[in-house]
Amino acid sequence: MQKYVFYLNVQAYFICMWNIFYTFARMKKTNCIKKVIRCAALCAAALLVASCAEKPKSDNIIVHKRAKVQKKQTQAMSGYEDKRNVEWLGATYKVCVERKSDNTLPLTYDEQGNSYYDNRISVRVLRSDGSVFFERTFLKTDFTQYISDTYSKGALLGVVFDCVDGDALRFAASVGSPDKMSDEYEPLVVKVSRLGALSVAKDTKLDTASEDELEDEDDGV
């Protein structure tokens, strides 16, 4: 392309020289100035055409690299511990609940696909003399049959004491998104009978006050 532009410039130059020669060869003295002006204008026009020839274009295409979206590393939910005295069956019991993340358990996921370590939650009910009435460490697998597929990849979020329910101790449990900003979870009811027997069921009548307490103690719900 550059050679082509050079060729146009040379061609324009020779055209101008020929016009000058031809004009001076034929011009008369009376109109000499007019012809010289006309010749100069022709030369300027020819040079302008040559200089406006298309500049070469580069065939190189600049492609900007897209910034890679870095996936978050596996996160752990915060732990918590709660101890309280409960009047039950005419005696005072101490209910102790502790949640800890466990990196040996299968990973759990939130709605965006971010991974979290699952939790194990220990529940102990102590008599007034310090002896153990009930003790159990809960995992998500203890509640698998009670949760829907929607929350199957979620985490065990909490098991917290709710209230005395007749001759049983009632706990509120939940399995759902491990993202602390999410409110997606499956509510469950866990009961410990006076004989220490355990029962689990879906919470069809969610108690608002109990869930407020659950949110205060479990920032994952």
Side-chain angles (χ1 to χ4, degrees), residues 7-19 43 46-47 50:
Y7 172 76
L8 287 178
N9 286 332
V10 172
Q11 188 179 36
Y13 173 77
F14 278 106
I15 291 174
C16 290
M17 294 301 297
W18 171 255
N19 276 309
C43 290
L47 290 174

Side-chain angles (χ1 to χ4, degrees), residues 16-78:
C16 290
M17 294 301 297
W18 171 255
N19 276 309
I20 293 172
F21 175 78
Y22 181 79
T23 301
F24 274 97
R26 297 183 58 191
M27 71 180 179
K28 296 179 180 181
K29 294 182 180 179
T30 55
N31 57 2
C32 177
I33 296 176
K34 290 183 179 180
K35 290 186 177 182
V36 169
I37 293 173
R38 184 180 66 178
C39 180
L42 289 173
C43 290
L47 290 174
L48 180 62
V49 171
S51 64
C52 290
E54 183 179 2
K55 294 181 179 180
K57 293 183 179 180
S58 175
D59 294 332
N60 295 331
I61 300 175
I62 299 175
V63 178
H64 297 284
K65 292 183 178 180
R66 292 184 178 181
K68 293 183 178 179
V69 178
Q70 294 184 348
K71 194 173 182 179
K72 291 183 179 180
Q73 294 183 346
T74 301
Q75 304 172 67
M77 289 172 280
S78 59

Side-chain angles (χ1 to χ4, degrees), residues 144-184:
T144 302
Q145 61 179 310
Y146 305 101
I147 60 176
S148 61
D149 293 340
T150 304
Y151 305 105
S152 61
K153 293 185 178 181
L156 175 59
L157 302 178
V159 178
V160 299
F161 177 74
D162 185 2
C163 63
V164 173
D165 187 4
D167 62 350
L169 296 175
R170 175 187 171 113
F171 295 81
S174 58
V175 175
S177 172
D179 182 359
K180 65 181 181 181
M181 301 302 293
S182 175
D183 58 358
E184 293 295 323

Side-chain angles (χ1 to χ4, degrees), residues 88-91 93 125 127 132-134 163-171 190-199:
W88 182 47
L89 302 176
Y93 289 80
V125 180
R127 299 183 181 91
V132 177
F133 167 73
F134 175 85
C163 63
V164 173
D165 187 4
D167 62 350
L169 296 175
R170 175 187 171 113
F171 295 81
V190 177
K191 289 184 178 182
V192 178
S193 73
R194 64 187 302 163
L195 298 178
L198 183 72
S199 64

Side-chain angles (χ1 to χ4, degrees), residues 30 41 98 130 137 213:
T30 55
E98 184 178 17
T137 297
E213 181 179 293

